[in-house]
Amino acid sequence: AINADGSVSAFFGKMDMGQGLYVSIGQMVAEELDVAFERVTVYMADTRTSVNQGGASGSTGLQSGGKQMRAASAEARRVLVEMAAEKALGLAPDLPQAHTALACIYCFQWQWALAWEHFQRALELAPNDADIYHFYADWLGATGRPEEAIAAASRAVELDPLVPIFLNGKANALFWQGRVDEAIEIRQAAFGLAPDLQMTSNNLFGTYVFARRLDEAEALLDQTRATALARAARDPAWDEKQDPQR
């Protein structure tokens, strides 16, 4: 439940017997809703507010109940984004960001035609908006238009070449077309821009492994681990939220 003050109540039908479920479930909900962990309160093992999912013996609480909580939280965020975009369009019908948000929502619902309508309107209103091209590229790829997806993703990078997520989007489009070496080159550029961003290191590592460039994959692991350890040494507050040994 999303409360009026912006806090979140998560009703979980299992119980914590020392496995750390309160923290784990709270983190999952917070991540999906994009709120601070401190804003989430988890209520457990109360059949007045949640279904009876049984106990958590054998440490099965997270693996048997976490997926459902994550899905419910993701759906809650989708509904909130859709409501906000529709309200924004009601107030300002020519707001390209609202059209883009609705298009993305329709993509997740596999309503491709509705998504296309809103992407087209967004591009008419803001033909030089990199964000729109980035998400439009995803739609093109999902609907079987890979070359157009590469073109749209390339346009996003052309408009804003210093945003790692745009570079990652272009690399994805190339990767799914089998242009792996080109994808690696772009992923390297994204990693160079944001080496502390988990997305850039994870995607580059995975592509190295796929391409059997294992020496480079191992070197990247060493580099990211050293960076994490150095940052933890400089910033104890960051160390409390991370595990640099992983």
Side-chain angles (χ1 to χ4, degrees):
I2 313 299
N3 304 311
D5 63 355
S7 63
V8 178
S9 298
F11 303 99
F12 188 56
K14 283 186 171 290
M15 58 187 291
D16 192 334
M17 298 190 295
Q19 304 97 329
L21 284 175
Y22 278 104
V23 173
S24 301
I25 294 299
Q27 287 176 329
M28 293 171 73
V29 172
E31 180 180 341
E32 290 294 342
L33 289 172
D34 196 19
V35 299
F37 170 70
E38 295 77 14
R39 302 287 285 167
V40 179
T41 301
V42 181
Y43 297 91
M44 289 192 176
D46 188 344
T47 54
R48 294 175 300 174
T49 57
S50 58
V51 299
N52 182 1
Q53 293 179 278
S57 58
S59 300
T60 60
L62 192 60
Q63 67 189 52
S64 299
K67 182 178 180 180
Q68 294 90 328
M69 290 299 295
R70 193 177 200 106
S73 302
E75 176 64 8
R77 178 172 180 171
R78 184 199 65 77
V79 171
L80 289 171
V81 171
E82 184 175 10
M83 291 172 60
E86 289 176 344
K87 184 173 183 179
L89 283 181
L91 296 171
D94 291 335
L95 187 65
Q97 293 83 356
H99 284 285
T100 303
L102 274 178
C104 291
I105 290 295
Y106 288 135
C107 283
F108 286 121
Q109 296 174 339
W110 293 8
Q111 298 187 54
W112 307 116
L114 287 173
W116 181 83
E117 291 177 9
H118 283 284
F119 275 130
Q120 292 303 302
R121 183 58 180 150
L123 288 170
E124 289 174 5
L125 294 167
N128 293 313
D129 189 310
D131 284 305
I132 301 173
Y133 281 101
H134 170 71
F135 292 114
Y136 184 45
D138 289 339
W139 180 89
L140 290 165
T143 54
R145 298 160 67 175
E147 293 300 330
E148 292 175 81
I150 293 172
S154 298
R155 179 60 176 155
V157 172
E158 178 184 339
L159 290 167
D160 204 338
L162 299 181
V163 177
I165 194 171
F166 295 162
L167 290 166
N168 184 66
K170 181 178 180 180
N172 288 343
L174 290 166
F175 179 85
W176 292 117
Q177 278 297 96
R179 296 162 63 175
V180 178
D181 289 339
E182 293 176 73
I184 286 177
E185 184 177 346
I186 294 173
R187 293 205 197 284
Q188 288 170 334
F191 179 74
L193 286 171
D196 290 338
L197 188 62
Q198 188 177 32
M199 174 195 70
T200 62
S201 57
N202 284 356
N203 288 334
L204 179 56
F205 174 78
T207 311
Y208 276 149
V209 172
F210 179 86
R212 300 293 189 269
R213 293 166 62 166
L214 302 183
D215 288 343
E216 290 167 285
E218 185 176 0
L220 178 63
L221 281 179
D222 291 340
Q223 180 181 350
T224 53
R225 182 175 182 275
T227 300
L229 288 170
R231 183 171 179 180
R234 294 194 308 269
D235 185 358
W238 180 84
D239 186 36
E240 292 176 1
K241 301 179 181 179
Q242 307 291 330
D243 180 5
Q245 298 293 338
R246 287 187 298 178

